[in-house]
Amino acid sequence: MTHEQREEVAQARSLYTQILKSFPENSTAKDRLEALSRKVDLPPERLASLFALSERKEYVQLAKSAIALIRDYPNSYMLWALLGSAEHELGQFEHAEKCARKALSFRPRNALAHYNLANALRAQDKVQEALECYADALNLDPNLAIANHNRAMLLFREGDIEAALHEWRIANETAPDFAEAHYGSGICLFRLGKYEEAVASFQRAVELNPKLVEAYLGLGNAYNELGDLPKAGEALDMALELNPDDSSATSLRAWIQSRLCDFAGEAKPINRAELNPFSALFYEDDPKEQQLRSQAFWRQLAGGIRPFSELPRPKYRPDQLKIGYFSADFHDHATLHLLSGVLREHDRTGFEIHAYSYGRQASVQFRDLLNQRNLHFHYAEGLSDETFAELARSHQLDIAIDLKGYTAETRSQIFGYRLAPIQMNYLGYPSTLGTDVFDYIVADRMLIPSRYRKYYDEKVLYLPHSYQPNDNLRRAADISTPRSEFGLPERGMVFCCFNNSTKIKKDEFDIWMRVLAQVEGSVLWLLRTDDGMEGNLRKSAEASGVASDRLIFCDRAPHALHLARHRHADLFLDTFNCNAHTTGSDALWAGLPLITMAGKQFAARVAASLLNAVGLPELITESKEEYEARILHLATHRTELREIRERLARNRFIHPLFDTRRYTRNLENGFRRAYERYLAGEPPADIRVLDQS
């Protein structure tokens, strides 16, 4: 009893227990021991000391102190709750769950007890249990907005965007000043394509918390989608002021400067190490640095993903290989324009084709086109990564192909689960993905010559001509408009570059201006991004001594009309770090010659690959000086240019670049050879496909 008076509960309990061993009927010892078992309240001074440790974030000491006191106060809700909190902060999530359950056993009607258990479950990826516990907490306390917020984050991660938005909106109503909940609403609205509403949510978030970097980044993305590039730039500048090392903000800021052709802004020092690999493609031509960026990006994107169980190796080769194409771009997009012919020409006796779309749904026109291709089409936009991977694996694919890579809306991380025994990087992203999760990259010998081979982590599936597919049934619109309809002079040399403005850099633009200065009556025809881009390029032209009205801008147009208007140009001038890719094959298919400079990285060698496969290697140059000289030569030797144009008109139908069936047979042969290696138990290796003409 003296020990009890001194709050030495463990010692008192020990003595009472010893007494009862010798004197089982001692009623005083029984009563005192029972009273001690009900003892739950800590002395106020001890509780205060525990809260002080928590506030100072001294979680190791907090855990030690709580464990010591639990021996004396085993039924204290607050002790178990504080111990659970400390274990959670120390990353001991299983222990945190046990503590939370113990605390909940003492106060089953306490909302915070359910909330704490939900947090411990969430940390262990026990998603459904966590969602239910958050719901239990909210049933007991509907005003617990943080539970709505955490529940929304789980739903968002699982791909249920509408449900996440519903939870965040409840949190916004319950706690109007909860900045993170407004930010959450914004990211949902952004994902749903409601960019103006997303802007309003992000704006409210930064009003409430001016240091919320993520909300400024969200604003930058939303304004970018709305085409308001100046406001996007301002928001990203705020994000970078708060966190100069934010790689997402750095990359998007660089992207916007590129879209605006803001050469002065691009000249300012930036931390290129913070650029994501896609943005970096436009900034420099360096395959080694690109590989390092891709490797780092993969670790960030998929570092927590672990492959599912190993896929069983079949004993026999199936009659049909199941091929799965994964993309967000099964709509009016360059990827589908290029791949459409392959999807049509695939040998259905030897291949079963699946397409997995996780982007916006195709228009009626493109749904009809895909239906005509006789493939199995799967919408997966709302699925979590894990559920998406399980869906793909359920179809028992033999080869899974990522058509997206690290471009916008990437979901390359799902390949980390291992969707098929063979996984390939193809078409959408012109670089290595920086991981051996992808067994092969589809390329050709022009794109990845031996001197640059070491900068690609995948094995290379070398196609015999160009890596790029094309659809030889696409048609240009039948128009008879004059040049003047497009603001072009009826006479004079029309140079053009229909590449996205992100690809245009000062080096090539300066060359173009020197050419215009030397070729009287010539103009440069460009694709307009927005008024800011046009204004910047006109200023740069004037600074180079070229009248700004010699730059002619056109807007985007339906694909058939875009192909048709190429006939009004005389020569397509390529960009350096990232060449004309789809725009290059568009020009050549439309009969317009293209001059390129072959660089080092994949993205800087695509146009050379196209020209090689269409039989015009003389239009490939190896230096800026040679590039400029070749343009001037053809601009001042119009007969020679006309002969090249006539040869291109013939070559389109006899050279391999636009022979869709021949290309598809070669690609399929590559698929078969990769599968034969797998079936034989051999590891992936570089494969050189022989022409199937």
Side-chain angles (χ1 to χ4, degrees):
M1 293 175 76
T2 302
H3 282 305
E4 276 196 80
Q5 290 167 4
R6 294 174 181 169
E7 293 291 338
E8 294 166 355
V9 178
Q11 294 93 324
R13 185 185 293 112
S14 175
L15 284 177
Y16 287 135
T17 302
Q18 290 178 47
I19 291 168
L20 287 169
K21 283 182 181 178
S22 300
F23 305 97
E25 301 305 320
N26 187 298
S27 60
T28 302
K30 280 183 179 179
D31 291 344
R32 298 315 305 157
L33 189 59
E34 185 180 349
L36 283 175
S37 70
R38 295 195 299 270
K39 193 174 182 72
V40 296
D41 294 325
L42 283 171
E45 65 275 8
R46 293 193 177 183
L47 190 59
S49 69
L50 294 177
F51 279 122
L53 289 171
S54 179
E55 288 174 7
R56 294 197 300 270
K57 299 184 179 180
E58 296 178 19
Y59 299 117
V60 172
Q61 186 57 48
L62 174 59
K64 288 180 179 178
S65 299
I67 290 169
L69 285 166
I70 277 172
R71 289 197 293 269
D72 292 340
Y73 301 91
N75 299 334
S76 169
Y77 162 80
M78 191 56 69
L79 259 183
W80 285 105
L82 285 167
L83 178 57
S85 171
E87 297 283 21
H88 192 283
E89 294 294 340
L90 293 170
Q92 301 299 317
F93 302 126
E94 287 186 20
H95 293 167
E97 179 188 345
K98 290 176 183 176
C99 294
R101 290 190 185 280
K102 191 73 174 176
L104 187 61
S105 71
F106 299 127
R107 296 193 185 178
R109 299 290 299 167
N110 185 291
L112 282 174
H114 288 277
Y115 172 76
N116 289 336
L117 176 56
N119 286 342
L121 293 165
R122 174 181 163 218
Q124 297 173 79
D125 282 330
K126 296 179 179 179
V127 176
Q128 282 308 123
E129 289 181 78
L131 287 171
E132 289 168 9
C133 282
Y134 284 129
D136 290 339
L138 287 162
N139 285 334
L140 292 165
D141 182 1
N143 294 319
L144 193 61
I146 186 65
N148 292 111
H149 174 66
N150 287 359
R151 186 173 158 83
M153 287 196 290
L154 270 180
L155 291 165
F156 185 86
R157 195 183 75 185
E158 289 298 294
D160 195 342
I161 309 302
E162 294 280 4
L165 178 59
H166 176 70
E167 292 289 339
W168 266 314
R169 281 181 163 162
I170 293 174
N172 292 335
E173 292 169 7
T174 305
D177 294 340
F178 191 175
E180 286 76 6
H182 288 284
Y183 166 70
S185 295
I187 59 175
C188 288
L189 292 163
F190 182 87
R191 283 284 296 273
L192 294 169
K194 300 177 179 180
Y195 302 121
E196 291 182 355
E197 292 180 58
V199 164
S201 289
F202 292 137
Q203 285 280 23
R204 182 61 181 145
V206 297
E207 286 169 9
L208 292 167
N209 182 358
K211 294 187 177 181
L212 191 59
V213 176
E214 296 87 346
Y216 288 111
L217 181 57
L219 267 177
N221 275 298
Y223 278 130
N224 182 46
E225 292 294 338
L226 289 169
D228 193 337
L229 300 187
K231 284 187 178 178
E234 290 172 10
L236 293 166
D237 286 341
M238 284 299 300
L240 288 168
E241 185 177 318
L242 292 167
N243 182 9
D245 296 327
D246 189 308
S247 59
S248 296
T250 300
S251 295
L252 186 55
R253 189 70 183 94
W255 173 261
I256 287 171
Q257 285 177 333
S258 293
R259 285 191 68 189
L260 289 169
C261 296
D262 178 7
F263 300 147
E266 289 179 20
K268 295 175 183 176
I270 63 167
N271 185 357
R272 293 191 177 185
E274 293 297 330
L275 289 176
N276 67 39
F278 182 52
S279 296
L281 285 173
F282 306 98
Y283 260 80
E284 63 182 8
D285 176 17
D286 189 330
K288 180 179 179 180
E289 289 299 316
Q290 188 62 19
Q291 181 186 38
L292 293 173
R293 285 192 187 94
S294 292
Q295 290 169 345
F297 192 76
W298 174 259
R299 290 192 294 271
Q300 175 187 341
L301 186 69
I305 290 176
R306 295 293 175 266
F308 290 147
S309 59
E310 188 173 346
L311 293 158
R313 191 184 302 273
K315 295 181 179 178
Y316 306 102
R317 187 188 182 286
D319 292 334
Q320 286 183 308
L321 290 182
K322 292 183 179 180
I323 310 297
Y325 292 103
F326 293 74
S327 181
D329 298 328
F330 289 111
H331 53 85
D332 187 4
H333 188 277
T335 297
L336 188 57
H337 293 157
L338 292 175
L339 194 65
S340 178
V342 169
L343 296 178
R344 180 185 67 244
E345 296 293 344
H346 261 314
D347 173 15
R348 292 308 194 273
T349 62
F351 295 88
E352 179 180 302
I353 308 301
H354 293 254
Y356 298 84
S357 174
Y358 52 85
R360 68 175 186 265
Q361 291 202 9
S363 64
V364 173
Q365 171 196 357
F366 282 90
R367 282 203 301 272
D368 290 345
L369 184 150
L370 290 166
N371 288 335
Q372 293 165 14
R373 297 306 185 250
N374 187 27
L375 48 79
H376 302 274
F377 198 77
H378 312 278
Y379 278 114
E381 182 185 8
L383 300 183
S384 68
D385 289 346
E386 190 168 337
T387 305
F388 191 177
E390 287 170 344
L391 170 69
R393 282 171 64 102
S394 73
H395 299 141
Q396 299 180 313
L397 300 173
D398 297 303
I399 301 176
I401 299 171
D402 186 1
L403 294 172
K404 198 71 180 144
Y406 298 152
T407 57
E409 298 180 87
T410 180
R411 290 190 75 175
S412 295
Q413 67 270 20
I414 63 171
F415 288 81
Y417 289 106
R418 183 54 69 170
L419 309 182
I422 300 169
Q423 301 191 145
M424 294 187 179
N425 168 14
Y426 173 48
L427 189 60
Y429 180 65
S431 181
T432 181
L433 290 171
T435 171
D436 60 5
V437 162
F438 290 88
D439 304 290
Y440 295 94
I441 181 173
V442 178
D444 58 63
R445 282 169 286 186
M446 176 62 78
L447 289 173
I448 306 180
S450 57
R451 63 187 180 278
Y452 301 130
R453 171 66 188 86
K454 61 186 175 183
Y455 302 125
Y456 297 82
D457 289 275
E458 307 89 340
K459 301 303 179 186
V460 184
L461 181 63
Y462 288 101
L463 294 182
H465 306 296
S466 177
Y467 89 110
Q468 192 190 81
N470 276 285
D471 184 357
N472 58 3
L473 296 187
R474 57 189 172 141
R475 293 286 178 263
D478 184 13
I479 60 172
S480 57
T481 53
R483 276 184 167 186
S484 57
E485 178 99 358
F486 298 94
L488 301 168
E490 291 298 340
R491 296 181 178 277
M493 186 80 177
V494 175
F495 299 106
C496 83
C497 179
F498 291 144
N499 289 353
N500 282 326
S501 59
T502 49
K503 298 183 179 185
I504 301 172
K505 295 290 173 276
K506 190 173 189 302
D507 283 355
E508 51 264 48
F509 190 79
D510 285 348
I511 291 173
W512 299 345
M513 294 304 98
R514 288 198 295 271
V515 168
L516 288 185
Q518 295 177 70
V519 180
E520 187 177 351
S522 62
V523 297
L524 177 61
W525 195 14
L526 299 165
L527 192 64
R528 179 187 290 107
T529 295
D530 73 352
D531 292 341
M533 167 261 195
E534 180 177 339
N536 283 335
L537 287 184
R538 290 194 186 281
K539 288 176 187 175
S540 294
E542 293 284 355
S544 300
V546 174
S548 63
D549 61 3
R550 294 178 68 184
L551 304 187
I552 312 297
F553 291 86
C554 64
D555 293 317
R556 296 185 182 278
H559 192 61
L561 175 59
H562 176 61
L563 287 175
R565 64 187 177 186
H566 281 78
R567 70 182 180 84
H568 292 309
D570 297 299
L571 190 60
F572 191 112
L573 308 183
D574 199 14
T575 47
F576 295 158
N577 297 337
C578 191
N579 294 163
H581 296 184
T582 307
T583 48
S585 57
D586 283 347
L588 296 171
W589 180 240
L592 177 62
L594 175 153
I595 290 186
T596 192
M597 181 185 78
K600 299 173 185 176
Q601 63 192 15
F602 189 126
R605 298 180 66 83
V606 170
S609 169
L610 303 179
L611 288 167
N612 202 47
V614 81
L616 294 174
E618 68 268 31
L619 297 181
I620 304 169
T621 64
E622 300 294 334
S623 68
K624 294 172 186 175
E625 293 76 19
E626 185 187 357
Y627 171 84
E628 183 173 348
R630 188 70 53 84
I631 295 170
L632 276 170
H633 177 80
L634 290 176
T636 54
H637 293 75
R638 301 296 291 276
T639 301
E640 185 176 337
L641 178 58
R642 185 168 58 252
E643 289 171 355
I644 289 173
R645 193 163 189 144
E646 290 169 356
R647 185 147 51 91
L648 173 58
R650 296 190 300 272
N651 287 4
R652 288 187 308 154
F653 300 104
I654 58 176
H655 279 256
L657 181 62
F658 298 112
D659 189 337
T660 308
R661 180 166 296 180
R662 179 179 178 181
Y663 176 92
T664 308
R665 296 292 87 82
N666 288 332
L667 182 66
E668 290 172 343
N669 188 33
F671 292 165
R672 289 191 184 97
R673 288 187 58 186
Y675 190 79
E676 285 162 6
R677 289 192 63 85
Y678 161 73
L679 195 61
E682 298 173 346
D686 287 359
I687 293 172
R688 293 187 182 272
V689 177
L690 299 177
D691 188 17
Q692 299 296 297
S693 60

